[in-house]
Amino acid sequence: MKKFFALLLALVMSLSLVACGGGDDATTDDTTDDATNEETGGETTNDYKISVVLKTLSSEYWGYVKAGCDAAAAELGVEVSVVGPGAESDIEGQVAQIEQQIGAGCDAIICAPNDAGAAANALQAALDQGIPVLSVDTDVGIEGQTTFVGTSNVDAAYEGGKWAIGQAGDGAKAVIIYGQEGDNTSNMRREGYQKACDEAGVEVLAALSGQNTTDGATKTMEDMLSAHPGEIDIVLCHNDDTAIGAMNACKNAGVSDVIIVGFDGNASAVDLILAGDLIKATVAQQPYEMGYQAVEAAVEVLNGGTVESVINAPVEVVTAENGQAYLDNLASMQG
C-alpha cells in the first residue's frame, strides 16, 4: 500500500511538472530514487573501489579483519580489494602493495602499517590525488588522514597486565615479549604492560622482541629462561602467536608455573586457554568489527559524509571463565 501511494504521488508530481513545462526526464529520476530507497531502506549501491592493505594475510587475526572488510563490502555494495605481505616484518613488500593499489586506481585506501613512517610516505601519493586515507588497527598518523579505526593498545595491554598480576599475587616478576622493533603497535602494547607492572610494583626482568612470530618468540623465551632461571612468573606477549611461542619454550624447558598472556583474541589461543594450558588469557580486540567499521567509514566519506577522527574498538580480557562465550560470538560473526 505504501508503495502504491508513492507511485500515485510520483504520477501527480509528473503531471504537475508537465503543466509547468517540466520534462519527462526529471520525473523518471525522482521515481527511480524513491524506488531505490524503498527497496534498500535508504542504502544505495555504487561502484566505489576501496583498497585495504593489511600487515599480512598469513595469520588468523588478520583473517578476521579481512572477513569484516568483505562483509562490509557485500552489505554496502562496494568493491573491496584486501591484500597484505607474507609477514609483518616485510615493510618493503607492504609499501610496494600500497603503491600498486594506488597506481591501479582506488577511491579510498585503508592501511594497517607495518612501519608507520614507510607507509605514510607511500600513502602521501593517495592524499595528493584527493584519495581518502584511513588507518585500521595501527595508526599511520599521516597528516590529512580521514580516521583511525582501532584499539587503544596502551589501555588494552594495561588491562591484560593487570589481570595477570592479580592472578600471580605479590612478589611476582614478569618479562615482556614485544613485537617488531620500531613498530608503533608493539611500542604501545609494551608501554601498557610496563605501566601495569610499574603500578603494581612488579619487576620486569627483561623486555625483548619476538619478531611477531611463534618461532621468534620461542627463541626469545628460551633466552629469557636461561637468563632468569626460576624467576619468571608472568609472560606478557605482543600477540597470540608470540604467546604460543613462549608456551612452547616453557614446555620444552619443563617450566609449568608461569602465567602467559597473549593479545588479539585468536580462536587458537582461546582453545588453549580453555584446555588449561600455560596461556591463561588473551587481550581480545574485535578485528572483524574493525575491518567492517573501516570500510563503512570509507563509504561514508565517499558519500560526502563525515566521520570521527578516531573510531575506538573495545577490548576484553578472555580467560577460562568467558572463553567459550567469546568463541561462540566469534563463530556467529563469521557466519
Coordinates of all heavy atoms in Angstrom, one line a residue, residues 71-171:
A71 N 32.6 -8.5 4.6 CA 31.2 -8.4 5.0 C 30.7 -7.0 4.7 O 29.6 -6.8 4.2 CB 31.1 -8.7 6.4
A72 N 31.5 -6.0 5.0 CA 31.0 -4.6 4.7 C 30.9 -4.4 3.3 O 29.9 -3.7 2.8 CB 32.0 -3.6 5.3
A73 N 31.8 -4.9 2.5 CA 31.7 -4.7 1.0 C 30.4 -5.3 0.5 O 29.7 -4.7 -0.4 CB 32.9 -5.4 0.3
A74 N 30.1 -6.5 0.9 CA 28.9 -7.2 0.5 C 27.6 -6.4 0.9 O 26.7 -6.3 0.1 CB 28.8 -8.6 1.0
E75 N 27.6 -5.9 2.1 CA 26.4 -5.3 2.6 C 26.2 -3.8 2.1 O 25.1 -3.4 2.0 CB 26.4 -5.3 4.2 CG 26.3 -6.7 4.7 CD 26.2 -6.7 6.3 OE1 25.9 -5.7 6.8 OE2 26.5 -7.8 6.8
L76 N 27.3 -3.2 1.9 CA 27.3 -1.8 1.4 C 27.3 -1.6 -0.1 O 27.2 -0.5 -0.6 CB 28.4 -1.0 2.1 CG 28.4 -1.0 3.6 CD1 29.5 -0.2 4.2 CD2 27.1 -0.4 4.1
G77 N 27.6 -2.7 -0.8 CA 27.6 -2.7 -2.3 C 28.8 -2.0 -2.9 O 28.6 -1.3 -3.8
V78 N 29.9 -2.2 -2.3 CA 31.2 -1.6 -2.9 C 32.2 -2.8 -3.2 O 32.0 -3.9 -2.7 CB 31.8 -0.6 -1.9 CG1 30.9 0.5 -1.6 CG2 32.2 -1.3 -0.6
E79 N 33.2 -2.4 -4.0 CA 34.2 -3.4 -4.3 C 35.4 -3.1 -3.4 O 35.9 -2.0 -3.3 CB 34.7 -3.2 -5.8 CG 35.8 -4.1 -6.2 CD 36.2 -3.9 -7.6 OE1 35.4 -3.3 -8.4 OE2 37.4 -4.2 -8.0
V80 N 35.8 -4.1 -2.7 CA 36.9 -4.0 -1.7 C 38.0 -5.0 -2.1 O 37.7 -6.2 -2.2 CB 36.5 -4.2 -0.3 CG1 37.7 -4.2 0.7 CG2 35.5 -3.1 0.1
S81 N 39.2 -4.5 -2.2 CA 40.4 -5.4 -2.5 C 41.3 -5.4 -1.3 O 41.7 -4.4 -0.8 CB 41.2 -4.9 -3.7 OG 42.4 -5.6 -3.9
V82 N 41.5 -6.6 -0.7 CA 42.2 -6.8 0.6 C 43.5 -7.5 0.3 O 43.5 -8.6 -0.2 CB 41.5 -7.5 1.7 CG1 42.3 -7.6 2.9 CG2 40.1 -6.9 1.9
V83 N 44.7 -6.9 0.5 CA 46.0 -7.5 0.3 C 46.9 -7.3 1.5 O 46.5 -6.6 2.4 CB 46.7 -6.9 -0.9 CG1 45.8 -7.1 -2.2 CG2 47.0 -5.4 -0.7
G84 N 48.0 -8.0 1.5 CA 48.9 -7.9 2.6 C 50.1 -8.8 2.3 O 50.0 -9.8 1.6
P85 N 51.3 -8.4 2.8 CA 52.5 -9.2 2.5 C 52.5 -10.5 3.3 O 51.6 -10.8 4.1 CB 53.6 -8.2 3.0 CG 53.0 -7.4 4.1 CD 51.6 -7.2 3.6
G86 N 53.5 -11.3 3.0 CA 53.6 -12.6 3.6 C 53.9 -12.6 5.1 O 53.6 -13.6 5.8
A87 N 54.5 -11.5 5.6 CA 54.9 -11.4 7.0 C 54.8 -10.0 7.4 O 55.0 -9.0 6.6 CB 56.2 -12.0 7.3
E88 N 54.6 -9.7 8.7 CA 54.5 -8.4 9.3 C 55.9 -7.7 9.2 O 56.0 -6.5 9.3 CB 54.0 -8.4 10.7 CG 52.5 -8.8 10.8 CD 51.9 -8.6 12.2 OE1 52.4 -7.7 12.9 OE2 51.0 -9.4 12.5
S89 N 56.9 -8.5 9.1 CA 58.3 -7.9 9.0 C 58.6 -7.4 7.6 O 59.6 -6.7 7.4 CB 59.3 -8.9 9.4 OG 59.2 -10.1 8.6
D90 N 57.8 -7.7 6.7 CA 58.0 -7.3 5.3 C 57.5 -5.8 5.0 O 56.5 -5.6 4.4 CB 57.4 -8.3 4.3 CG 57.8 -8.0 2.9 OD1 58.6 -7.1 2.6 OD2 57.3 -8.8 2.0
I91 N 58.3 -4.9 5.5 CA 57.9 -3.5 5.3 C 58.0 -3.0 3.9 O 57.0 -2.4 3.4 CB 58.8 -2.6 6.2 CG1 58.7 -2.9 7.7 CG2 58.6 -1.1 5.9 CD1 59.7 -2.3 8.6
E92 N 59.0 -3.4 3.2 CA 59.2 -3.0 1.8 C 58.1 -3.6 0.9 O 57.5 -3.0 0.0 CB 60.5 -3.4 1.2 CG 61.7 -2.6 1.9 CD 63.0 -3.0 1.2 OE1 63.0 -3.9 0.3 OE2 64.1 -2.5 1.7
G93 N 57.7 -4.9 1.2 CA 56.7 -5.6 0.5 C 55.3 -4.9 0.6 O 54.6 -4.7 -0.3
Q94 N 55.1 -4.4 1.9 CA 53.8 -3.7 2.1 C 53.8 -2.4 1.4 O 52.8 -2.0 0.8 CB 53.5 -3.5 3.6 CG 52.1 -2.9 3.8 CD 51.9 -2.6 5.3 OE1 52.7 -1.9 5.9 NE2 50.8 -3.0 5.8
V95 N 54.9 -1.6 1.4 CA 55.0 -0.4 0.7 C 54.7 -0.6 -0.8 O 54.0 0.2 -1.4 CB 56.3 0.3 0.9 CG1 56.6 1.5 0.0 CG2 56.5 0.8 2.4
A96 N 55.3 -1.6 -1.4 CA 55.0 -1.9 -2.8 C 53.6 -2.2 -3.0 O 53.0 -1.7 -4.1 CB 55.9 -3.1 -3.2
Q97 N 52.9 -2.9 -2.1 CA 51.5 -3.1 -2.3 C 50.6 -1.9 -2.2 O 49.7 -1.7 -3.0 CB 51.0 -4.2 -1.3 CG 51.5 -5.6 -1.5 CD 51.0 -6.6 -0.5 OE1 50.8 -6.2 0.6 NE2 50.9 -7.8 -1.0
I98 N 51.0 -1.0 -1.3 CA 50.3 0.3 -1.2 C 50.4 1.1 -2.5 O 49.5 1.6 -3.1 CB 50.9 1.2 -0.1 CG1 50.6 0.5 1.3 CG2 50.3 2.6 -0.1 CD1 51.3 1.2 2.5
E99 N 51.7 1.1 -3.1 CA 51.9 1.8 -4.3 C 51.1 1.2 -5.5 O 50.6 1.9 -6.4 CB 53.4 1.8 -4.6 CG 54.2 2.7 -3.6 CD 55.7 2.5 -3.8 OE1 56.1 1.6 -4.5 OE2 56.4 3.4 -3.2
Q100 N 51.1 -0.2 -5.5 CA 50.3 -0.9 -6.5 C 48.8 -0.6 -6.5 O 48.2 -0.4 -7.5 CB 50.6 -2.4 -6.4 CG 52.0 -2.8 -6.8 CD 52.3 -4.2 -6.3 OE1 51.4 -4.9 -5.7 NE2 53.5 -4.7 -6.6
Q101 N 48.3 -0.6 -5.3 CA 46.9 -0.3 -5.1 C 46.5 1.1 -5.5 O 45.5 1.3 -6.2 CB 46.4 -0.5 -3.7 CG 46.5 -2.0 -3.2 CD 45.6 -2.9 -4.0 OE1 44.4 -2.6 -4.1 NE2 46.1 -4.0 -4.5
I102 N 47.3 2.1 -5.2 CA 47.1 3.5 -5.6 C 47.2 3.6 -7.1 O 46.4 4.2 -7.8 CB 48.0 4.4 -4.9 CG1 47.8 4.4 -3.4 CG2 47.9 5.9 -5.4 CD1 48.8 5.2 -2.6
G103 N 48.3 3.0 -7.7 CA 48.5 3.0 -9.1 C 47.4 2.4 -9.9 O 47.1 2.8 -11.0
A104 N 46.8 1.3 -9.4 CA 45.7 0.6 -10.1 C 44.4 1.4 -10.1 O 43.5 1.1 -10.9 CB 45.5 -0.8 -9.5
G105 N 44.3 2.4 -9.2 CA 43.1 3.2 -9.1 C 42.2 2.7 -8.0 O 41.7 1.6 -8.0
C106 N 42.0 3.6 -7.0 CA 41.0 3.3 -6.0 C 40.4 4.6 -5.5 O 41.0 5.7 -5.7 CB 41.7 2.6 -4.8 SG 43.1 3.5 -4.0
D107 N 39.2 4.5 -4.9 CA 38.5 5.7 -4.4 C 38.9 6.0 -3.0 O 38.7 7.1 -2.5 CB 37.0 5.5 -4.6 CG 36.6 5.3 -6.0 OD1 36.8 6.3 -6.8 OD2 36.1 4.2 -6.4
A108 N 39.3 5.0 -2.3 CA 39.8 5.2 -0.9 C 40.7 4.1 -0.6 O 40.7 3.0 -1.1 CB 38.6 5.2 0.1
I109 N 41.7 4.3 0.4 CA 42.6 3.3 0.8 C 42.7 3.2 2.3 O 42.7 4.2 3.0 CB 44.0 3.5 0.1 CG1 44.9 2.3 0.4 CG2 44.6 4.8 0.6 CD1 46.2 2.3 -0.4
I110 N 42.7 2.0 2.8 CA 42.7 1.7 4.2 C 44.0 0.9 4.5 O 44.3 0.0 3.7 CB 41.5 0.8 4.7 CG1 40.2 1.6 4.4 CG2 41.6 0.5 6.1 CD1 39.0 0.7 4.5
C111 N 44.8 1.3 5.5 CA 46.0 0.6 5.7 C 46.3 0.3 7.2 O 45.9 1.1 8.1 CB 47.2 1.5 5.2 SG 48.8 0.8 5.4
A112 N 46.8 -0.9 7.5 CA 47.3 -1.2 8.8 C 48.9 -1.3 8.6 O 49.4 -2.3 8.1 CB 46.8 -2.6 9.3
P113 N 49.6 -0.3 8.9 CA 51.0 -0.2 8.6 C 51.9 -1.1 9.4 O 51.8 -1.2 10.6 CB 51.4 1.3 8.8 CG 50.4 1.6 9.9 CD 49.2 0.9 9.7
N114 N 52.9 -1.8 8.7 CA 53.9 -2.5 9.4 C 55.0 -1.5 9.9 O 55.6 -1.7 10.9 CB 54.6 -3.5 8.5 CG 53.7 -4.7 8.2 OD1 52.9 -5.1 9.1 ND2 53.8 -5.3 7.0
D115 N 55.2 -0.4 9.2 CA 56.0 0.7 9.6 C 55.3 2.0 9.3 O 55.1 2.3 8.1 CB 57.4 0.6 9.0 CG 58.3 1.7 9.4 OD1 58.2 2.9 8.9 OD2 59.2 1.5 10.3
A116 N 54.9 2.7 10.3 CA 54.0 3.9 10.0 C 54.7 4.9 9.1 O 54.1 5.5 8.2 CB 53.6 4.6 11.3
G117 N 56.0 5.2 9.3 CA 56.7 6.1 8.5 C 56.8 5.7 7.1 O 56.6 6.5 6.2
A118 N 57.2 4.5 6.8 CA 57.3 4.0 5.5 C 55.9 4.0 4.8 O 55.8 4.4 3.6 CB 57.9 2.6 5.5
A119 N 54.9 3.6 5.5 CA 53.6 3.6 4.9 C 53.1 5.0 4.6 O 52.5 5.2 3.5 CB 52.6 2.9 5.8
A120 N 53.4 5.9 5.5 CA 52.9 7.3 5.3 C 53.6 7.9 4.0 O 52.9 8.6 3.3 CB 53.3 8.1 6.5
N121 N 54.8 7.6 3.8 CA 55.5 8.1 2.6 C 54.8 7.6 1.3 O 54.6 8.3 0.4 CB 56.9 7.7 2.6 CG 57.8 8.4 3.6 OD1 57.4 9.5 4.0 ND2 58.9 7.8 4.1
A122 N 54.4 6.3 1.4 CA 53.7 5.7 0.2 C 52.3 6.3 0.1 O 51.8 6.5 -1.1 CB 53.7 4.2 0.3
L123 N 51.6 6.5 1.2 CA 50.2 6.9 1.1 C 50.1 8.4 0.8 O 49.0 8.8 0.4 CB 49.6 6.6 2.5 CG 49.3 5.1 2.8 CD1 49.0 5.0 4.3 CD2 48.2 4.6 2.0
Q124 N 51.2 9.1 0.9 CA 51.1 10.5 0.5 C 50.6 10.7 -0.9 O 49.9 11.7 -1.3 CB 52.4 11.2 0.7 CG 52.4 12.7 0.5 CD 51.5 13.4 1.5 OE1 51.6 13.2 2.7 NE2 50.7 14.3 1.0
A125 N 51.0 9.8 -1.8 CA 50.5 9.8 -3.2 C 49.0 9.8 -3.3 O 48.4 10.5 -4.2 CB 51.2 8.7 -4.0
A126 N 48.4 9.0 -2.4 CA 46.9 9.0 -2.4 C 46.3 10.3 -2.0 O 45.4 10.8 -2.6 CB 46.4 7.9 -1.5
L127 N 46.9 10.9 -0.9 CA 46.4 12.2 -0.5 C 46.6 13.3 -1.5 O 45.7 14.1 -1.7 CB 47.1 12.6 0.8 CG 46.8 11.7 2.1 CD1 47.6 12.1 3.3 CD2 45.3 11.8 2.4
D128 N 47.7 13.2 -2.2 CA 48.0 14.2 -3.3 C 46.9 14.1 -4.4 O 46.7 15.1 -5.1 CB 49.4 14.0 -3.8 CG 50.5 14.3 -2.8 OD1 50.2 15.0 -1.8 OD2 51.6 13.9 -3.1
Q129 N 46.3 12.9 -4.6 CA 45.3 12.7 -5.6 C 43.9 12.9 -5.1 O 42.9 12.7 -5.8 CB 45.4 11.3 -6.2 CG 46.8 11.1 -6.9 CD 46.9 9.6 -7.4 OE1 46.0 9.1 -8.0 NE2 48.0 9.0 -7.1
G130 N 43.8 13.3 -3.8 CA 42.5 13.5 -3.2 C 41.8 12.2 -2.8 O 40.6 12.2 -2.6
I131 N 42.6 11.2 -2.7 CA 42.0 9.9 -2.2 C 42.0 9.8 -0.7 O 43.1 9.9 -0.1 CB 42.8 8.7 -2.8 CG1 42.8 8.8 -4.4 CG2 42.3 7.4 -2.3 CD1 43.7 7.8 -5.0
P132 N 40.9 9.5 -0.1 CA 40.9 9.4 1.4 C 41.8 8.3 1.9 O 41.8 7.2 1.3 CB 39.4 9.1 1.7 CG 38.6 9.6 0.5 CD 39.5 9.4 -0.7
V133 N 42.5 8.5 3.0 CA 43.4 7.5 3.6 C 42.9 7.2 5.0 O 42.7 8.2 5.8 CB 44.8 8.0 3.6 CG1 45.7 7.1 4.5 CG2 45.4 8.2 2.2
L134 N 42.6 6.0 5.3 CA 42.2 5.6 6.6 C 43.1 4.5 7.2 O 43.8 3.8 6.5 CB 40.8 5.0 6.6 CG 39.6 5.8 6.0 CD1 39.6 5.8 4.5 CD2 38.3 5.4 6.6
S135 N 43.3 4.5 8.5 CA 44.1 3.5 9.2 C 43.2 2.6 10.0 O 42.2 3.0 10.5 CB 45.1 4.2 10.2 OG 46.0 5.1 9.6
V136 N 43.6 1.3 10.0 CA 42.9 0.3 10.8 C 43.9 -0.5 11.7 O 45.0 -0.8 11.2 CB 42.1 -0.6 9.9 CG1 43.0 -1.5 9.0 CG2 41.2 -1.5 10.7
D137 N 43.6 -0.7 12.9 CA 44.4 -1.4 13.9 C 45.6 -0.7 14.4 O 45.8 -0.5 15.6 CB 44.8 -2.8 13.3 CG 45.6 -3.6 14.3 OD1 45.0 -4.3 15.2 OD2 46.9 -3.5 14.2
T138 N 46.4 -0.2 13.4 CA 47.6 0.6 13.8 C 47.5 1.9 13.0 O 47.3 2.0 11.8 CB 48.8 -0.2 13.3 OG1 48.8 -1.5 14.0 CG2 50.1 0.6 13.7
D139 N 47.7 3.0 13.8 CA 47.6 4.3 13.2 C 48.8 4.7 12.3 O 49.9 4.7 12.8 CB 47.4 5.3 14.3 CG 46.9 6.7 13.8 OD1 46.6 6.8 12.6 OD2 46.7 7.6 14.7
V140 N 48.5 5.1 11.1 CA 49.5 5.6 10.2 C 50.0 7.0 10.7 O 51.2 7.3 10.8 CB 49.1 5.7 8.8 CG1 50.1 6.4 7.9 CG2 48.8 4.3 8.2
G141 N 49.0 7.8 11.1 CA 49.3 9.1 11.7 C 49.7 10.1 10.7 O 50.2 11.2 11.0
I142 N 49.4 9.9 9.4 CA 49.7 10.9 8.4 C 48.8 12.1 8.4 O 47.6 11.9 8.6 CB 49.7 10.2 7.0 CG1 50.3 11.1 5.9 CG2 48.3 9.7 6.6 CD1 50.4 10.4 4.6
E143 N 49.4 13.3 8.2 CA 48.5 14.5 8.2 C 47.6 14.4 7.0 O 48.0 14.1 5.9 CB 49.4 15.7 8.0 CG 48.7 17.0 8.1 CD 49.6 18.2 8.1 OE1 50.8 18.1 8.1 OE2 49.0 19.4 8.1
G144 N 46.3 14.7 7.3 CA 45.3 14.6 6.2 C 44.5 13.3 6.3 O 43.6 13.1 5.5
Q145 N 44.9 12.4 7.1 CA 44.2 11.1 7.3 C 42.8 11.3 7.7 O 42.5 12.2 8.5 CB 45.0 10.2 8.3 CG 44.3 8.9 8.7 CD 45.1 8.2 9.8 OE1 46.1 7.5 9.4 NE2 44.8 8.4 11.0
T146 N 41.9 10.5 7.2 CA 40.4 10.6 7.4 C 40.1 10.1 8.8 O 39.4 10.9 9.6 CB 39.6 9.8 6.4 OG1 39.8 10.3 5.1 CG2 38.1 9.8 6.8
T147 N 40.6 8.9 9.2 CA 40.2 8.4 10.5 C 41.2 7.3 10.9 O 41.8 6.7 10.0 CB 38.8 8.0 10.6 OG1 38.5 7.6 12.0 CG2 38.5 6.7 9.8
F148 N 41.2 6.9 12.2 CA 41.9 5.7 12.6 C 40.8 4.9 13.3 O 40.2 5.3 14.3 CB 43.0 6.1 13.6 CG 43.5 4.9 14.4 CD1 44.0 3.7 13.8 CD2 43.5 4.9 15.8 CE1 44.4 2.6 14.5 CE2 43.9 3.8 16.6 CZ 44.4 2.7 15.9
V149 N 40.7 3.6 12.8 CA 39.8 2.7 13.4 C 40.6 1.6 14.2 O 41.4 0.9 13.6 CB 38.9 2.0 12.4 CG1 37.9 1.0 13.0 CG2 38.1 3.0 11.5
G150 N 40.5 1.6 15.5 CA 41.3 0.6 16.2 C 41.2 0.7 17.7 O 40.3 1.4 18.3
T151 N 42.0 -0.1 18.3 CA 42.1 -0.2 19.8 C 43.1 0.7 20.4 O 44.2 0.9 19.8 CB 42.4 -1.7 20.1 OG1 41.4 -2.5 19.6 CG2 42.5 -1.9 21.6
S152 N 42.9 1.2 21.6 CA 44.0 1.9 22.3 C 44.9 0.8 22.8 O 44.6 0.1 23.8 CB 43.4 2.7 23.5 OG 44.5 3.1 24.3
N153 N 46.0 0.5 22.2 CA 46.8 -0.6 22.5 C 47.5 -0.4 23.9 O 47.7 -1.4 24.6 CB 47.9 -0.7 21.4 CG 47.4 -1.4 20.2 OD1 47.2 -2.6 20.2 ND2 47.2 -0.6 19.1
V154 N 47.7 0.8 24.3 CA 48.3 1.0 25.6 C 47.3 0.6 26.7 O 47.6 -0.2 27.6 CB 48.6 2.5 25.9 CG1 49.1 2.7 27.3 CG2 49.7 2.9 24.9
D155 N 46.0 1.0 26.6 CA 45.0 0.7 27.6 C 44.7 -0.8 27.5 O 44.5 -1.4 28.6 CB 43.7 1.5 27.3 CG 43.9 3.0 27.5 OD1 44.9 3.4 28.1 OD2 43.0 3.7 27.0
A156 N 44.7 -1.4 26.4 CA 44.3 -2.8 26.3 C 45.4 -3.7 26.9 O 45.1 -4.6 27.7 CB 44.2 -3.2 24.8
A157 N 46.7 -3.4 26.6 CA 47.8 -4.2 27.2 C 47.8 -3.9 28.7 O 48.1 -4.9 29.5 CB 49.1 -3.8 26.6
Y158 N 47.5 -2.7 29.2 CA 47.4 -2.4 30.6 C 46.4 -3.3 31.3 O 46.7 -3.9 32.4 CB 47.0 -1.0 30.8 CG 46.8 -0.5 32.2 CD1 47.9 -0.3 33.1 CD2 45.5 -0.3 32.6 CE1 47.6 0.1 34.4 CE2 45.3 0.2 33.9 CZ 46.3 0.3 34.8 OH 46.1 0.7 36.1
E159 N 45.2 -3.5 30.7 CA 44.2 -4.4 31.3 C 44.7 -5.9 31.3 O 44.5 -6.6 32.3 CB 42.9 -4.3 30.5 CG 42.2 -3.0 30.6 CD 41.8 -2.6 32.0 OE1 41.4 -3.5 32.8 OE2 42.0 -1.4 32.3
G160 N 45.4 -6.3 30.3 CA 45.9 -7.7 30.3 C 47.0 -7.8 31.4 O 47.0 -8.9 32.0
G161 N 47.8 -6.8 31.5 CA 48.9 -6.9 32.5 C 48.3 -6.9 33.9 O 48.7 -7.7 34.8
K162 N 47.3 -6.1 34.2 CA 46.6 -6.0 35.5 C 46.0 -7.4 35.8 O 46.1 -7.8 37.0 CB 45.5 -5.0 35.5 CG 46.0 -3.6 35.7 CD 44.9 -2.6 36.3 CE 43.7 -2.7 35.5 NZ 42.6 -1.8 36.1
W163 N 45.4 -8.0 34.9 CA 44.8 -9.3 35.1 C 45.8 -10.3 35.5 O 45.6 -11.1 36.5 CB 44.0 -9.8 33.9 CG 43.3 -11.1 34.1 CD1 42.1 -11.3 34.6 CD2 43.9 -12.4 33.9 NE1 41.8 -12.7 34.7 CE2 42.9 -13.4 34.3 CE3 45.1 -12.9 33.5 CZ2 43.1 -14.7 34.3 CZ3 45.3 -14.3 33.4 CH2 44.3 -15.2 33.8
A164 N 46.9 -10.4 34.8 CA 48.0 -11.4 35.1 C 48.6 -11.1 36.5 O 48.8 -12.1 37.2 CB 49.0 -11.3 34.0
I165 N 48.8 -9.9 36.8 CA 49.4 -9.5 38.1 C 48.4 -9.9 39.2 O 48.9 -10.4 40.3 CB 49.7 -8.0 38.2 CG1 50.9 -7.7 37.2 CG2 50.1 -7.6 39.6 CD1 51.0 -6.3 36.9
G166 N 47.1 -9.7 39.0 CA 46.2 -10.1 40.0 C 46.2 -11.6 40.2 O 45.9 -12.1 41.4
Q167 N 46.4 -12.4 39.2 CA 46.5 -13.9 39.3 C 47.8 -14.3 40.0 O 47.8 -15.3 40.8 CB 46.4 -14.5 37.9 CG 45.1 -14.2 37.2 CD 43.9 -14.8 37.9 OE1 43.8 -16.0 38.2 NE2 42.9 -13.9 38.2
A168 N 48.9 -13.7 39.7 CA 50.2 -14.1 40.2 C 50.4 -13.7 41.7 O 51.1 -14.5 42.4 CB 51.3 -13.5 39.4
G169 N 49.8 -12.6 42.1 CA 50.0 -12.2 43.5 C 51.2 -11.4 43.8 O 52.0 -11.1 42.9
D170 N 51.5 -11.2 45.1 CA 52.6 -10.3 45.5 C 53.9 -11.0 45.2 O 54.1 -12.2 45.2 CB 52.5 -10.1 47.0 CG 51.3 -9.3 47.4 OD1 50.7 -8.6 46.5 OD2 50.8 -9.3 48.6
G171 N 54.9 -10.1 44.9 CA 56.2 -10.6 44.6 C 56.5 -11.2 43.3 O 57.6 -11.7 43.0

